[in-house]
Amino acid sequence: MVRLHPRPFAIAVFGASVYACATVASSFALGRVTDRVILPRFDQGHVDGGTVAAAIALVIGVGLVKAAGIITRRIAATITGARVGGTLRSMVVERYQLVPYEYHQRNPTGELLSHAGNDVDAATEVLAPLPFASGVMVILVVSFGWMLLTDPYFAAIAVVLFPTLVALNVVYQRRVERPAEEAQEQLGVVSAVAHESFDGALVVKALGAERLESERFRAASEKLLRAKVRVATTRATFDAVLDALPTIGIAVLLPVGAWRVESGAVTVGDVVAFVSLFTILVWPLRLIGYVLGELPRAVVGMDRIQEVLAEPIDPRHELTVSREAGSATSGRAALLDVQGLGFGYEPGRDVLDGVTFSVAPGRTVAVVGPTGSGKSTLLLLVAGLIGPQRGGVRVDGRDLSSFTVDDLRATVAMAFQEAFLFGDSLAENILLGDDDPELLATVADLAGVSGFARRLPQGFATLVGERGATLSGGQRQRVALARALARSPRLLLLDDATSAVDPTTEARILRSLRSHLTATTTLVVASRPSTIALADEVIFLDEGRVVDQGTHDELLARQPGYAHLVRAYELDRADRAGEVSVT
């Protein structure tokens, strides 16, 4: 972490070293004042004014140097922690953007948030006191040297005391490491449970599951509590011992000091100086314990961050030159060729198996199949969001794996059934950072957004709320469709992306797309007969395999399973229409 921002950390260590030297100097000054001002005043009845002034100047001067060291260390250490934390968060979030989509499928959102938040905080917490702890080491070295030069018996006390304190800190670190790791891991679990509960607030409210969710959160929190208590108990025990040791050192130093003063080896000021030094060392030595106590938590946090940073990124982000001839060429529709495509989310359970088909440029093809047949997974593979385990997807004869991310996103765009919107304006959700009013108007008309956008308080500048909460499901889907169209794709993928739109509006949108998107090949997952009928061809998918491909009428005639499925769609639509009319 220090290597990320070494300069402010070095300044903080310098400030801590200045403070350390000034701390030892303050005890030395107290000893000299004792010998040259306080004792002469008792022995002789008076002290020269110049000596008093010099003593005052010495004490004030040392205090000012110590204050300068403290200010330098604190400011630089704070800057170091803030910069390192910001850098680590940026690195983690950037890695989230670069890893394959499968990584996000494997890890809950709460866990990802914990990496970017709690783990970074845990890793960087140790940075603020670390320069101070390095200054304490300077205090110990300088103090031991001073004691050794002053009296070997004083040095002997330090030889016993200082290593004992260091050894206790090491033992403490080892004892607290496992509870700290458990606490950090459980913090991620609590974050994940909380995020899931908040994200699913509508479902929780609708099903009356508030008590169940509260109990689930309480159970996770209690595990975190127990881990935190173990850490706190260990810390409290060692804190008491660390507080007691310097006091024991003073208790030994006083009689030894009296004996050495009586023998004439040292002065009273020397004893006063070292007693003062041992007293001053109580807090700095506790800080070493604090740093070592934070170190296991910091190591755990950093390990979890490193796990994220070690995740392999999507190789297409690293491509700079295409490995195959041909590039993403705008202005013409794409030729889609899928050969022997196989994929499974779990070993031994294929979602798709040997899927093969072709879509000619400019054609609109509907993918139809029962629930669980692999339709959405097929579109994710064609979009390049997940990689095939067998077979491949080629666009204009070029394998998707050879596309750079920029080429891929310029070629393929996808709109999902569950439309995700950002808590920003309607225009920003469609253009995603672009500023092209003409493009906005065009794609909004094609996707049927313009009609309801004009009725919003601020039109396209209206904020839609978190996840588009202020819009209906059908409106969110139309915004997501407009967002996909704004990319000017050569291959458009619609995963039941108009399922929440009424059939009349859906038919109008699809007819508009067919008439205007002459340079776009469209693959659409469909479950409405009206949508299926608008397609040039239909791919009938069942149990992860392509059963047949042809026009809607052809499949009705030769595929009983397809005809049965379409009739079920029609009956469902009729039932829904009847319910609406009765209502």
Side-chain angles (χ1 to χ4, degrees):
M1 290 190 290
V2 170
R3 281 198 299 269
L4 295 174
H5 295 282
R7 180 175 297 179
F9 184 80
I11 294 173
V13 171
F14 171 76
S17 300
V18 170
Y19 164 81
C21 294
T23 298
V24 177
S26 66
S27 294
F28 176 82
L30 183 59
R32 299 290 73 78
V33 169
T34 300
D35 284 339
R36 299 186 181 183
V37 177
I38 298 176
L39 290 179
R41 177 66 179 84
F42 283 103
D43 294 340
Q44 303 170 11
H46 71 280
V47 181
D48 180 68
T51 303
V52 174
I56 293 173
L58 178 62
V59 172
I60 292 176
V62 170
L64 290 175
V65 172
K66 185 190 293 187
I70 292 173
I71 293 171
T72 302
R73 174 186 56 80
R74 286 187 177 179
I75 292 176
T78 301
I79 292 173
T80 301
R83 288 184 179 176
V84 171
T87 299
L88 288 177
R89 284 189 178 89
S90 297
M91 292 169 65
V92 169
V93 172
E94 182 179 355
R95 181 62 57 148
Y96 286 161
Q97 309 303 325
L98 298 178
V99 295
Y101 177 63
E102 291 94 327
Y103 177 81
H104 294 274
Q105 291 179 308
R106 294 194 310 267
N107 294 275
T109 304
E111 185 73 8
L112 302 184
L113 290 173
S114 183
H115 288 320
N118 297 327
D119 290 338
V120 171
D121 290 340
T124 56
E125 191 74 24
V126 75
L127 284 176
L130 188 57
F132 196 178
S134 68
V136 174
M137 300 307 296
V138 173
I139 291 177
L140 295 179
V141 172
V142 174
S143 298
F144 179 73
W146 178 25
M147 288 182 176
L148 189 61
L149 291 174
T150 303
D151 188 80
Y153 290 95
F154 290 169
I157 296 173
V159 165
V160 174
L161 178 64
F162 294 166
T164 303
L165 288 168
V166 174
L168 274 173
N169 282 316
V170 171
V171 172
Y172 168 60
Q173 178 190 356
R174 292 178 178 175
R175 289 281 185 87
V176 82
E177 185 170 0
R178 182 55 194 161
E181 183 177 355
E182 291 177 357
Q184 197 64 20
E185 290 174 351
Q186 196 59 36
L187 193 59
V189 174
V190 170
S191 297
V193 172
H195 182 273
E196 191 174 46
S197 296
F198 302 154
D199 207 31
L202 183 60
V203 175
V204 172
K205 292 289 185 183
L207 299 179
E210 294 91 344
R211 185 182 298 277
L212 177 63
E213 283 301 297
S214 295
E215 288 297 328
R216 194 161 70 101
F217 185 78
R218 184 179 295 109
S221 298
E222 286 176 354
K223 291 182 180 178
L224 175 61
L225 173 63
R226 288 193 291 270
K228 291 268 191 184
V229 167
R230 285 197 295 272
V231 173
T233 302
T234 306
R235 174 174 292 177
T237 302
F238 277 87
D239 277 352
V241 176
L242 289 171
D243 274 346
L245 272 179
T247 305
I248 295 172
I250 293 173
V252 174
L253 183 63
L254 286 174
V256 173
W259 167 56
R260 299 300 287 166
V261 169
E262 186 178 5
S263 65
V266 298
T267 66
V268 174
D270 291 330
V271 177
V272 170
F274 290 129
V275 168
S276 169
L277 184 62
F278 275 39
T279 304
I280 292 173
L281 283 177
V282 172
W283 161 243
L285 287 172
R286 284 191 64 189
L287 189 70
I288 291 182
Y290 174 76
V291 170
L292 292 177
E294 288 297 316
L295 202 56
R297 182 168 172 260
V299 169
V300 172
M302 197 62 188
D303 284 346
R304 286 163 60 86
I305 292 170
Q306 292 290 359
E307 288 176 6
V308 175
L309 299 181
E311 283 291 326
I313 67 174
D314 188 328
R316 286 177 296 232
H317 283 286
E318 298 178 316
L319 294 176
T320 55
V321 180
S322 300
R323 296 198 301 265
E324 299 183 24
S327 60
T329 305
S330 59
R332 61 181 178 83
L335 167 64
L336 175 63
D337 188 24
V338 176
Q339 292 294 327
L341 202 61
F343 182 84
Y345 293 102
E346 298 177 6
R349 297 183 61 184
D350 286 342
V351 177
L352 297 175
D353 183 17
V355 172
T356 299
F357 64 88
S358 294
V359 180
R363 303 278 283 178
T364 297
V365 174
V367 180
V368 179
T371 300
S373 58
K375 304 185 296 295
S376 296
T377 300
L378 173 62
L379 261 64
L380 290 175
L381 287 161
V382 173
L385 292 173
I386 56 178
Q389 293 163 352
R390 297 181 303 279
V393 179
R394 302 178 74 85
V395 175
D396 292 335
R398 179 181 166 196
D399 197 280
L400 280 187
S401 62
S402 71
F403 280 65
T404 66
V405 169
D406 290 340
D407 278 351
L408 184 63
R409 298 300 166 238
T411 302
V412 185
M414 184 172 179
F416 304 90
Q417 181 179 9
E418 296 295 331
F420 180 89
L421 300 186
F422 300 96
D424 209 322
S425 68
L426 192 62
E428 184 63 26
N429 268 284
I430 295 174
L431 297 180
L432 295 181
D434 291 339
D435 185 14
D436 189 340
E438 185 177 346
L439 175 63
L440 176 63
T442 300
V443 298
D445 286 341
L446 285 174
V449 175
S450 299
F452 73 81
R454 296 189 188 98
R455 297 192 296 271
L456 296 175
Q458 295 175 291
F460 284 100
T462 302
L463 297 178
V464 300
E466 185 179 6
R467 294 177 175 266
T470 61
L471 302 181
S472 69
Q475 289 172 336
R476 288 196 294 272
Q477 283 191 335
R478 280 179 273 175
V479 174
L481 176 58
R483 180 166 58 201
L485 295 175
R487 313 277 79 78
S488 301
R490 300 171 53 235
L491 176 59
L492 178 63
L493 309 176
L494 305 178
D495 186 8
D496 223 356
T498 54
S499 59
V501 179
D502 65 86
T504 303
T505 302
E506 180 191 39
R508 184 171 63 249
I509 291 172
L510 293 177
R511 280 194 295 268
S512 178
L513 293 180
R514 290 199 61 176
S515 61
H516 288 84
L517 300 183
T518 56
T520 301
T521 302
T522 304
L523 193 64
V524 52
V525 170
S527 59
R528 285 177 174 170
S530 57
T531 307
I532 299 171
L534 287 172
D536 298 313
E537 286 184 282
V538 177
I539 295 173
F540 180 38
L541 199 66
D542 193 11
E543 295 185 353
R545 295 181 176 87
V546 175
V547 178
D548 204 348
Q549 180 176 357
T551 66
H552 176 56
D553 292 334
E554 290 172 347
L555 295 187
L556 282 176
R558 67 184 182 224
Q559 287 294 338
Y562 177 77
H564 177 75
L565 184 64
V566 171
R567 281 196 299 271
Y569 287 154
E570 289 174 343
L571 289 172
D572 179 66
R573 179 186 173 189
D575 289 343
R576 290 174 183 270
E579 290 174 5
V580 171
S581 62
V582 170
T583 302

